[in-house]
Amino acid sequence: MKTQSNLVRYTVITAAMLFLGTAEAKAAGDPERGQREFLACVSCHSAEPRLHKTGPSLANIWGKKAGTIDHFGRYSEAIVNSEIVWNAETLDAWLRNPLAVIPGTFMRVPGLNNEAKRQDIIAYLKHISPVSGEPALKPDAGANPADLSDPTPDYRVTALRLCQNTYHVTMMNGETHKFWEFNLRLKTDSTDKGPPKGQPALVGSGMRGDRASLVFASPSEISPFIKEKC
Ligand code: HEC
């Protein structure tokens, strides 16, 4: 009798495990949907190797220890000292609630409650990591800051003049745009996507709107480029 009930119990457990196994397989995410869901991340992350924004590039995250992406110089101590390795489980917990996984992390975003969306994003992150052994989807071009390395006259700036509180930005194509000094952001992009030396670029809604960013190759270019003259 005893043996039989044990056998029954064993069968029930095996069936439950099989069932759970199938449920897990069904819940597996879809990398293509994940690429679209990744839009929730692109203000801070790119899927392109070495293109770091507020957060590190997520192109090679799979199987890595947290806080170890090369050349990202803005990690919190909390993530660097954590012992977490990124895989399906740790990423799921992280995306649900980053602060619960690593208290003190700089990724201060409300977690993603939607399980299906989390799974899709995780599938995408796996897909774009070379160690997954699968061909990478093309990183979403729209996710990255503009490539300013091509000397296209339409965004190339030849002169910048400050008169009272107005910046006058003269473009290579002859146009001049005016901005209230508070609405023109002076930035640097020292990567190979940044503008060539001495040839800053005007980007952002400023071409039509009232705000824009003027991007320089290096900080030392900024002051000499600005002429204070009315
Ligand atoms: C508001 C900006 C912001 C948003 C939005 C954001 N993150 Fe982050 N993320 C960060 C920052 C900053 C870090 C570095 C955390 C630290 O240093 O503690 C980070 C770290 C990470 C890490 C760990 C990287 C490593 O090198 O260990 C992963 C994985 C991650 N984010 C995934 C995502 C995903 C997926 C999304 C979208 C669902 C997302 N993040 C949205 C800012 C953001």
Side-chain angles (χ1 to χ4, degrees):
M1 264 328 255
K2 197 153 184 263
T3 338
Q4 203 187 353
S5 74
N6 267 350
L7 186 65
V8 168
R9 203 177 301 148
Y10 177 74
T11 317
V12 169
I13 290 171
T14 314
M17 279 164 67
L18 276 175
F19 174 73
L20 281 178
T22 339
E24 206 173 89
K26 264 195 195 142
D30 172 69
E32 280 190 44
R33 273 200 312 261
Q35 182 170 30
R36 291 191 293 274
E37 302 295 349
F38 192 67
L39 280 178
C41 323
V42 299
S43 57
C44 299
H45 294 287
S46 88
E48 221 174 283
R50 294 182 304 281
L51 181 57
H52 306 309
K53 300 177 168 180
T54 302
S57 157
L58 297 181
N60 295 304
I61 211 76
W62 202 265
K64 276 252 164 71
K65 191 194 153 302
T68 59
I69 293 295
D70 282 347
H71 307 301
F72 178 68
R74 293 181 291 281
Y75 279 122
S76 65
E77 269 183 47
I79 199 169
V80 171
N81 294 332
S82 78
E83 293 298 322
I84 289 172
V85 172
W86 295 125
N87 59 34
E89 287 82 50
T90 51
L91 281 169
D92 187 55
W94 173 254
L95 296 183
R96 200 166 51 220
N97 187 350
L99 276 164
V101 176
I102 303 180
T105 178
F106 290 161
M107 178 158 145
R108 294 174 186 277
V109 298
L112 260 179
N113 287 324
N114 186 313
E115 149 119 53
K117 284 189 182 174
R118 285 199 310 271
Q119 291 309 316
D120 288 343
I121 290 177
I122 291 166
Y124 175 61
L125 292 177
K126 183 172 188 183
H127 210 86
I128 59 175
S129 266
V131 289
S132 73
E134 295 171 47
L137 292 175
K138 211 175 148 287
D140 186 354
N144 303 322
D147 184 342
L148 304 174
S149 58
D150 174 39
T152 304
D154 276 348
Y155 56 74
R156 192 65 64 217
V157 173
T158 52
L160 179 61
R161 183 165 64 86
L162 180 65
C163 173
Q164 287 165 357
N165 67 352
T166 302
Y167 275 120
H168 299 249
V169 183
T170 307
M171 313 297 296
M172 194 183 265
N173 63 12
E175 291 173 11
T176 295
H177 301 284
K178 292 182 194 169
F179 299 94
W180 174 35
E181 63 180 338
F182 244 63
N183 282 348
L184 185 68
R185 293 175 174 184
L186 306 178
K187 301 182 179 176
T188 54
D189 184 346
S190 57
T191 69
D192 53 9
K193 288 200 164 180
K197 246 181 149 192
Q199 304 187 49
L202 187 71
V203 293
S205 60
M207 307 289 185
R208 284 154 290 161
D210 64 337
R211 284 156 206 266
S213 298
L214 187 52
V215 187
F216 293 81
S218 103
S220 62
E221 289 181 7
I222 299 179
S223 298
F225 198 78
I226 304 171
K227 301 285 168 265
E228 293 185 63
K229 193 172 162 240
C230 286

